[in-house]
Amino acid sequence: MASGLLFLLLLGIGGNIFSEARSAKRLILCEHSNAKLKCGHGQVIQVHSANYGRHDRSTCSFRRPFYELLNVHCSRPTYLVAQSCNGRRSCIVSASNSVFGDPCYGTYKYLQVVYSCRSTRSHRWCPSGWTLFHNRCVKFYHTGHRWCPSGWTPFHNRCVKVPHPGYHHCPSGWTKRGRHCFLFLNIEQPWDSAENYCRILGGHLASFHSYSDLSFLRTLVYRGSGSFRNTWVGGTDRLQNRVWRWTDGSRYNYNHWYPGEPNNDRGREECMEINFRGSDRNNDEKCYVRRPFICARRR
């Protein structure tokens, strides 16, 4: 039972992937306000989850009209806090539509961040619930009737390799290209869940910066699925409409859109997929749509 719960948390279904970590801290920041995340000497920030929206009527409710508190199903998981703060001793975060967009117009929102401070003395660090053993993060998982070997993690009845600290080669199942390792997961997930899972594996959804890069990603999809399936990559324009960025922080310097795209149909298409209609072109799609995805991490 406990392992099943951990499996659900690992998928990021609830958003607070590591909220049970003993050292985790929780920050609630009301809309239109700023706060500073700060760690002590010799420590850096590790953001485990961040969500901008509203989940109850009591949080950040002081002197707010009742109609601004009614929508408690307003949620926008965001990687932007982690992108800005991870690896730094301190950073400023803002709860604002100008940063995260507006997931629910007319609702007074708040930003919820779960983070911890980790030591900079060693790069040998394992996520909550894992154990460092001979320079790798290990744990046995059981889902249904499937056991995964130590150092692997189950994902929809598959065992997926988790890279261990200090590892400078690509883990088994990953494909090397340049300074990065790539993994195609032929498992359909919403874009946010896909990005969260790639972060658990030490990376982000894949980016590309040339047609050669794009062709490489398409080849991974074809080898893994037998066709050119529509597949999530790390492009998004959530921060500013039609200003596309990569979740890995790399420069967005190459376009290969399908004719007429991106069109932001009904103002809700903020995430990028490749292989649109089986072609070598990209498309903007609604982020809640389920797609297989490609993760990338540095070697």
Side-chain angles (χ1 to χ4, degrees):
M1 180 66 181
S3 62
L5 176 61
L6 183 57
F7 178 45
L8 290 177
L9 290 172
L10 188 62
L11 287 177
I13 294 175
N16 296 333
I17 301 172
F18 298 112
S19 61
E20 297 301 319
R22 183 176 300 176
S23 60
K25 304 175 183 180
R26 189 182 303 272
L27 170 72
I28 301 292
L29 189 59
C30 300
E31 188 175 355
H32 308 309
S33 58
N34 302 322
K36 186 175 185 178
L37 303 186
K38 187 176 181 180
C39 292
H41 181 71
Q43 295 181 314
V44 293
I45 297 168
Q46 178 73 34
V47 175
H48 304 307
S49 67
N51 198 298
Y52 182 62
R54 173 165 290 278
H55 301 282
D56 60 65
R57 296 181 182 177
S58 58
T59 304
C60 291
S61 59
F62 183 64
R63 293 183 176 178
R64 305 306 305 187
F66 77 95
Y67 54 82
E68 293 186 351
L69 311 175
L70 293 177
N71 186 357
V72 295
H73 301 289
C74 171
S75 178
R76 173 161 289 178
T78 175
Y79 65 91
L80 294 173
V81 178
Q83 189 177 58
S84 300
C85 299
N86 277 0
R88 300 176 60 182
R89 185 179 174 189
S90 66
C91 71
I92 302 295
V93 292
S94 300
S96 171
N97 292 339
S98 63
V99 176
F100 304 110
D102 191 348
C104 41
Y105 180 78
T107 296
Y108 186 65
K109 295 165 283 292
Y110 55 86
L111 175 66
Q112 179 174 273
V113 180
V114 178
Y115 73 102
S116 59
C117 296
R118 62 183 180 91
S119 174
T120 58
R121 296 176 182 175
S122 172
H123 61 285
R124 294 170 180 168
W125 174 81
C126 292
S128 173
W130 293 78
T131 302
L132 185 66
F133 182 74
H134 285 266
N135 205 37
R136 68 170 60 202
C137 297
V138 298
K139 189 174 182 111
F140 280 101
Y141 282 90
H142 183 262
T143 54
H145 301 290
R146 178 182 289 276
W147 283 91
C148 288
S150 177
W152 295 68
T153 185
F155 190 66
H156 284 234
N157 282 330
R158 295 189 178 193
C159 294
V160 180
K161 187 74 171 180
V162 175
H164 56 78
Y167 201 88
H168 297 294
H169 301 284
C170 291
S172 176
W174 293 64
T175 301
K176 181 177 70 173
R177 177 178 168 85
R179 296 182 179 180
H180 290 80
C181 303
F182 295 84
L183 178 68
F184 170 68
L185 287 157
N186 194 22
I187 304 159
E188 295 184 350
Q189 289 291 309
W191 187 89
D192 289 297
S193 295
E195 170 65 18
N196 283 339
Y197 192 73
C198 290
R199 285 172 50 193
I200 291 172
L201 295 180
H204 293 276
L205 285 170
S207 62
F208 57 87
H209 305 277
S210 66
Y211 187 76
S212 176
D213 291 346
L214 176 60
S215 296
F216 169 76
L217 298 181
R218 299 188 72 232
T219 299
L220 288 182
V221 175
Y222 188 84
R223 288 176 179 174
S225 67
S227 64
F228 292 111
R229 299 188 62 188
N230 292 35
T231 301
W232 288 134
V233 291
T236 180
D237 69 341
R238 275 180 170 173
L239 188 60
Q240 184 177 347
N241 186 34
R242 296 190 180 276
V243 178
W244 288 85
R245 294 175 170 85
W246 296 115
T247 56
D248 62 10
S250 62
R251 182 183 177 188
Y252 188 87
N253 56 2
Y254 179 75
N255 286 311
H256 202 66
W257 296 102
Y258 194 85
E261 304 294 343
N263 62 0
N264 195 25
D265 184 38
R266 300 178 185 178
R268 302 173 65 185
E269 296 185 333
E270 301 174 321
C271 296
M272 184 188 295
E273 62 179 1
I274 61 173
N275 297 333
F276 185 54
R277 297 179 178 174
S279 73
D280 62 351
R281 300 282 178 164
N282 317 322
N283 175 53
D284 58 337
E285 182 58 277
K286 301 172 184 65
C287 299
Y288 60 78
V289 173
R290 292 176 174 269
R291 296 280 190 254
F293 55 98
I294 303 172
C295 296
R297 63 178 291 263
R298 292 186 67 88
R299 290 195 289 126

